[in-house]
Amino acid sequence: MTVLGPDSVTWRYFGGWRGMLMGLWSGSMQNMHPKLGAAVWEHSDFFDERWQRLMRSLYPIIGVVFDQTTDTGSEVRDYHRTIKGDMPDGGRYHALDPDVFYWAHATFWYGNIRCAEIFGPPITEADKRALFAESRTWYASYGVSMRPCPDTYEDFLVYWDHMCRSVLEDHPAVRTVLDITELPPPPWISWMPVPVWRRLAAPVAHGFMWITTGLYDEPVRAMLGLTWTERDERRLRRLGRIVDRAFRLVPPRYRLHPRARDGWDRVSGRVGAGEPFIETPVRNLPPPDQQDSPVHYCPVNAARRADLPWQRT
């Protein structure tokens, strides 16, 4: 099976730190799918250890693109095998329902375009079409039915618009994702007193909610009761240009998440092809009594982490 490599457009746009600005957008858009929202609400520990779950999940998700093996895609798929249940209307859901799984994938690959349009790096129409074509290769690595995948980029835009207008729903899982004011301090600043963190978190939460509102399609804003003005749009575009200029001052390797950087290091020879993949730091692992659960990514290989003092996620 074909895998993406350093010549792909996806390697240029995915896996960078500016994608963290898309966090609330990606998580909330995923949970707006009725079945995905129900699965997260019933099964996920996301709301109990939210920072840790987010930070550790980035490693295999990014690895699906940068590990240059379909094994990582199969690994991510298999975390979802036991996630199933009943919908409020009496229907059933399963995390590996192709329509559900593809929607989550769509938010990841299409998030590249939304991020680049606002925060850079600049993206062309040709790049967008290449990203779509490569997203099919990316999705195929999961080993899930290709049936929901649109055939062309134009078909995908029709699919996306239909989902935003006619399928997505408000859900408690969406509102919980969007509310970061009650979260504890992130693991990397766990030393911070909670009252101090709460004071800092409120304006940060407001800013991220404003950015996320701007990233939403208009039908989604209307569904959630959010307003967005032309002035807001101009301010967001201005912020995006500032972010893009700031990232251009950062050395290219350090614009990347460690797992993406690891992929580039392997193809450049900086890291041997047989070396273990970079895994999440121990601080992001699930609680000890949940580490054997089949729904958790919980790597045991930490051999290279100690050698990488620059790794912070």
Side-chain angles (χ1 to χ4, degrees), residues 69-253:
T69 172
T70 59
D71 291 347
T72 309
S74 299
E75 174 191 345
V76 171
R77 177 201 64 208
D78 290 347
Y79 294 135
H80 299 81
R81 286 190 178 278
T82 61
I83 301 175
K84 57 185 176 180
D86 298 314
M87 298 287 291
D89 63 4
R92 300 277 295 170
Y93 68 81
H94 195 295
L96 291 182
D97 176 337
D99 293 308
V100 176
F101 206 80
Y102 181 74
W103 173 249
H105 173 70
T107 65
F108 286 126
W109 90 259
Y110 192 54
N112 288 318
I113 291 179
R114 296 297 293 129
C115 183
E117 287 176 335
I118 302 298
F119 302 112
I123 188 168
T124 66
E125 287 300 310
D127 286 337
K128 294 177 183 179
R129 284 168 171 74
L131 282 170
F132 168 75
E134 292 169 5
S135 77
R136 291 176 57 87
T137 300
W138 177 356
Y139 184 68
S141 68
Y142 292 115
V144 178
S145 170
M146 296 291 290
R147 175 184 53 78
C149 290
D151 293 325
T152 68
Y153 179 56
E154 288 73 19
D155 291 339
F156 174 81
L157 294 179
V158 172
Y159 160 83
W160 184 267
D161 185 67
H162 168 72
M163 294 294 292
C164 290
R165 293 181 184 277
S166 304
V167 177
L168 303 186
E169 297 177 353
D170 197 355
H171 188 279
V174 176
R175 298 295 178 165
T176 304
V177 164
L178 292 175
D179 182 9
I180 65 175
T181 58
E182 298 302 315
L183 291 179
W188 60 90
I189 53 171
S190 57
W191 49 265
M192 182 178 290
V194 172
V196 175
W197 163 251
R198 290 275 188 259
R199 291 179 66 87
L200 295 174
V204 171
H206 178 79
F208 267 93
M209 188 63 215
W210 176 75
I211 289 171
T212 303
T213 301
L215 292 166
Y216 284 144
D217 291 66
E218 181 54 38
V220 173
R221 287 195 288 258
M223 176 181 68
L224 297 178
L226 302 172
T227 59
W228 191 252
T229 66
E230 292 183 2
R231 181 172 181 268
D232 285 322
E233 184 68 20
R234 290 193 299 271
R235 291 171 62 204
L236 180 61
R237 297 286 176 171
R238 191 178 306 120
L239 172 64
R241 290 191 293 271
I242 293 171
V243 169
D244 187 35
R245 291 185 188 121
F247 267 92
R248 291 170 187 268
L249 300 176
V250 178
R253 291 186 73 251

Side-chain angles (χ1 to χ4, degrees), residues 4 28 40 47 66 77 110 148 162 179 221 238 275 292:
L4 299 176
S28 60
V40 168
F47 304 116
F66 287 94
R77 177 201 64 208
Y110 192 54
H162 168 72
D179 182 9
R221 287 195 288 258
R238 191 178 306 120
E275 290 290 317
D292 292 331

